[in-house]
Amino acid sequence: MQKLLLTAVLAFTFSSSAFAEKEFMDHTNLMNHGDGHLMDMDGGMVMGQNTDILPGGCDKIAATEEITVHAGHKYSKKFPGRVFAFDQQEYQFEPCTKLTVHFVNDDSIRHQWMMHGLPKYLYPKGMFHLEVTGPGKISGTLIFPPNDKTYLVHCDISQHMEKGMKSQLKIGKGSGDLPSIPGVSANVIQDDYSNSIPEPVVSPKDLAAKKKQMAVQSAALAADSEPAVSGLVIIGLAAGLLLAPLLVRRFKGMGAGEIVSSIFEMLAQLIGLVVKLITSLISLVSSKKSVELPKK
Ligand SMILES: [Cu+2]
């Protein structure tokens, strides 16, 4: 009974804390770090916020707009092969628009809505960036420059853009379409399965014929190879047969110790003979001394 109670308590503790879904969090209590950088301790971040400085070339704020952007796994379902996506893949605004983005993360992981290519004199690193870890919402504001341009918006977490979390944002007429925007533009590298079509299935009859052919080939190969008893083996056997009676005669009447010592003696003699032979060969080769020219 005690064991059962303990199990129940443990199960309740784990299910209600460690493995529970993270609660949706509205990130409104952010600390302002200056330069448009705001953060909190719960994974909420705004970078490159600009609520009041007009970009060069803008006489006034042309329009004030608000959008809500969702990020999550479920928005990628309509794009085969993708895993993450924003709920929208394209945005368009008038030049010099003041835009407030409410960024909602619907997943229990970290996502971003990151814009690149903004003027660096106004936006640090040319970036406007919203980030939420886990389900939650964060808001940020920026003012667009006056030029017609297409901006990339993406999530910079490893592989999230490659797996589909990217969009394009056009100011005015924009400057064309960016590649690989899900549902908008073609991929830079198209999927191509033409080289990976599997080999046709071989019928049992063809398989039997192939096996027979292989057996014939391997038999032919075996016939071509060297005979089992080579010339070297025959020479060795002959030498052994000739030497055996000599050795028997030599070791006749000896004890085991005497046989061993006499074998060592023979070996020493043999090595000495070989060394002598090599030395005389070397001296023969190196003895080519300069020959004196005959006197005239
Ligand atoms: Cu992401």
Side-chain angles (χ1 to χ4, degrees):
M1 187 64 192
Q2 260 185 330
K3 258 186 186 173
L4 199 73
L5 258 173
L6 188 69
T7 312
V9 168
L10 278 174
F12 177 77
T13 313
F14 277 108
S15 64
S16 60
S17 59
F19 301 118
E21 280 279 300
K22 204 175 168 240
E23 267 187 42
F24 188 90
M25 180 176 266
D26 200 351
H27 298 264
T28 49
N29 194 16
L30 301 161
M31 180 186 172
N32 193 337
H33 294 244
D35 278 342
H37 187 186
L38 300 96
M39 275 178 94
D40 67 12
M41 288 289 284
D42 302 299
M45 177 155 67
V46 179
M47 279 169 76
Q49 169 145 279
N50 170 28
T51 55
D52 51 9
I53 303 171
L54 272 177
C58 292
D59 299 329
K60 60 180 176 63
I61 286 169
T64 302
E65 304 252 19
E66 268 184 57
I67 55 167
T68 298
V69 175
H70 285 262
H73 173 61
K74 62 184 173 190
Y75 303 107
S76 70
K77 276 181 186 162
K78 58 182 170 178
F79 305 120
R82 303 302 173 114
V83 178
F84 300 112
F86 296 122
D87 62 335
Q88 213 177 315
Q89 279 63 48
E90 216 172 3
Y91 315 90
Q92 191 152 24
F93 299 100
E94 285 305 302
C96 306
T97 292
K98 179 178 175 178
L99 175 72
T100 297
V101 181
H102 305 291
F103 180 53
V104 180
N105 181 357
D106 291 340
D107 286 343
S108 291
I109 54 169
R110 188 175 159 203
H111 284 312
Q112 305 165 332
W113 195 83
M114 187 187 274
M115 251 186 95
H116 287 277
L118 291 160
K120 287 183 180 167
Y121 66 85
L122 197 52
Y123 296 93
K125 297 191 178 197
M127 249 169 54
F128 173 73
H129 169 82
L130 300 172
E131 179 174 319
V132 181
T133 299
K137 180 188 164 195
I138 200 160
S139 303
T141 302
L142 80 162
I143 303 169
F144 291 122
N147 333 62
D148 287 348
K149 188 175 169 177
T150 307
Y151 293 88
L152 169 70
V153 186
H154 73 133
C155 176
D156 200 32
I157 304 300
S158 182
Q159 287 292 318
H160 285 202
M161 175 170 78
E162 290 79 356
K163 296 283 185 284
M165 199 166 264
K166 66 193 284 196
S167 297
Q168 63 181 15
L169 190 151
K170 285 180 176 174
I171 295 299
K173 291 171 194 156
S175 52
D177 285 332
L178 298 174
S180 316
I181 304 292
V184 175
S185 56
N187 287 344
V188 175
I189 301 165
Q190 294 292 344
D191 289 344
D192 178 11
Y193 303 105
S194 57
N195 284 330
S196 56
I197 296 166
E199 290 274 313
V201 178
V202 182
S203 73
K205 197 181 154 194
D206 289 347
L207 198 69
K210 195 153 195 171
K211 271 185 180 171
K212 203 174 167 185
Q213 191 193 342
M214 280 170 79
V216 169
Q217 278 175 349
S218 58
L221 271 171
D224 280 350
S225 64
E226 280 192 29
V229 182
S230 68
L232 210 64
V233 172
I234 291 168
I235 290 168
L237 281 170
L241 282 171
L242 283 172
L243 282 171
L246 289 174
L247 290 172
V248 166
R249 212 177 303 155
R250 179 157 184 166
F251 297 143
K252 206 174 180 181
M254 281 185 181
E258 281 174 312
I259 290 174
V260 169
S261 68
S262 75
I263 284 173
F264 272 108
E265 203 181 307
M266 280 163 76
L267 274 174
Q269 278 173 2
L270 190 71
I271 290 166
L273 205 73
V274 170
V275 169
K276 211 172 176 183
L277 196 74
I278 290 169
T279 316
S280 59
L281 270 173
I282 289 169
S283 65
L284 197 75
V285 171
S286 61
S287 67
K288 282 182 183 168
K289 285 170 187 158
S290 54
V291 178
E292 258 185 84
L293 284 169
K295 281 171 188 166
K296 279 179 184 174

